[in-house]
Amino acid sequence: MPLFDIVTLKTALFATPKVAPALQEWLAAPEAKGTLMGAWAPDIGTLNDIILLRQFDSAEDLIAERTRTHLSDNPFGCMEHLRGWTSDSYIPLDFTLPVTPGEYGKVYEIRSYQPKLNGMAPTIDKWREAVPVRTEYSPLSIAMYSLDGPTRFTQIWPYESANHRAEIRGKTVADGIWPPKGGPDWLTPEMTSTLAVPLPFSPLK
């Protein structure tokens, strides 16, 4: 099974257009490991960030890419515009694979939950039951759980617009489809949501 990471670049004010060309070169360099699956700029959430989703064939490749970044004198090729970054690794839920590049929506929601200490396995079980019906309303790009940092459950959903997201979420709740029955029982109140737009070079658009 592949691994994924989510990298969040914290850039200077309005620097995304300046960062993008150098970032693309960094990701496509011969020594680079991993495959870019998505690249977004938040529209609602923490602004002036760039969020990357990458897929790795092995833990060795993920570690090699993270090492390349940490030891570089020009991380991500855009040091002059970079204020910092975080990198979080994830295991995908097998029933949400593969992540398939394509055009799915103009807005992507990146949601993270912190389950209770014993809540990850029950959360996954609830999702396994509910996702097939939920994705009849709108597609799911990926759902996964963290390997480092605080225990997190993260998913990425594409929508046509923020209004479309609100309509779909409202309908799935009204129809009793979402959230998964009993799923919230295993979660803590620590939740975050970011609405982000795909960058031109994002494979998920």
Side-chain angles (χ1 to χ4, degrees):
M1 181 180 293
L3 297 175
F4 288 80
D5 77 355
I6 290 181
V7 173
T8 302
L9 305 178
K10 299 194 170 296
T11 70
L13 185 66
F14 304 137
T16 298
K18 302 172 186 175
V19 167
L23 179 57
Q24 288 178 262
E25 289 186 19
W26 171 272
L27 295 168
E31 66 273 20
K33 302 292 185 182
T35 301
L36 180 68
M37 305 306 295
W40 300 276
D43 187 50
I44 300 176
T46 304
L47 303 182
N48 299 303
D49 282 357
I50 295 174
I51 300 171
L52 306 175
L53 175 70
R54 296 183 295 181
Q55 178 175 314
F56 295 86
D57 292 334
S58 67
E60 290 76 15
D61 282 354
L62 189 153
I63 292 170
E65 181 63 14
R66 197 165 290 182
T67 300
R68 177 173 84 105
T69 305
H70 281 293
L71 297 183
S72 174
D73 61 358
N74 186 23
F76 300 101
C78 55
M79 181 65 188
E80 62 180 310
H81 304 294
L82 199 60
R83 298 183 295 113
W85 79 87
T86 60
S87 185
D88 301 295
S89 51
Y90 287 87
I91 291 181
L93 307 191
D94 58 354
F95 54 89
T96 69
L97 292 175
V99 179
T100 306
E103 296 187 12
Y104 299 98
K106 298 180 177 63
V107 172
Y108 281 70
E109 182 181 23
I110 303 169
R111 290 179 73 90
S112 288
Y113 305 91
Q114 288 190 24
K116 295 176 180 178
L117 295 179
N118 63 341
M120 184 59 74
T123 298
I124 293 172
D125 289 342
K126 299 295 184 182
W127 268 63
R128 189 183 299 274
E129 295 172 4
V131 161
V133 178
R134 171 59 179 83
T135 52
E136 293 177 5
Y137 289 72
S138 66
L140 169 66
S141 294
I142 185 69
M144 49 197 177
Y145 63 92
S146 63
L147 284 174
D148 42 31
T151 301
R152 296 176 311 292
F153 184 72
T154 297
Q155 64 253 215
I156 301 176
W157 299 88
Y159 296 98
E160 281 303 308
S161 66
N163 286 341
H164 180 238
R165 169 192 171 274
E167 291 169 5
I168 293 297
R169 289 184 63 82
K171 185 168 177 53
T172 58
V173 171
D175 292 350
I177 299 301
W178 207 255
K181 291 179 174 60
D185 295 343
W186 297 98
L187 302 177
T188 71
E190 285 72 33
M191 303 176 180
T192 61
S193 176
T194 297
L195 292 185
V197 296
L199 295 175
F201 61 90
S202 177
L204 287 172
K205 299 181 183 299

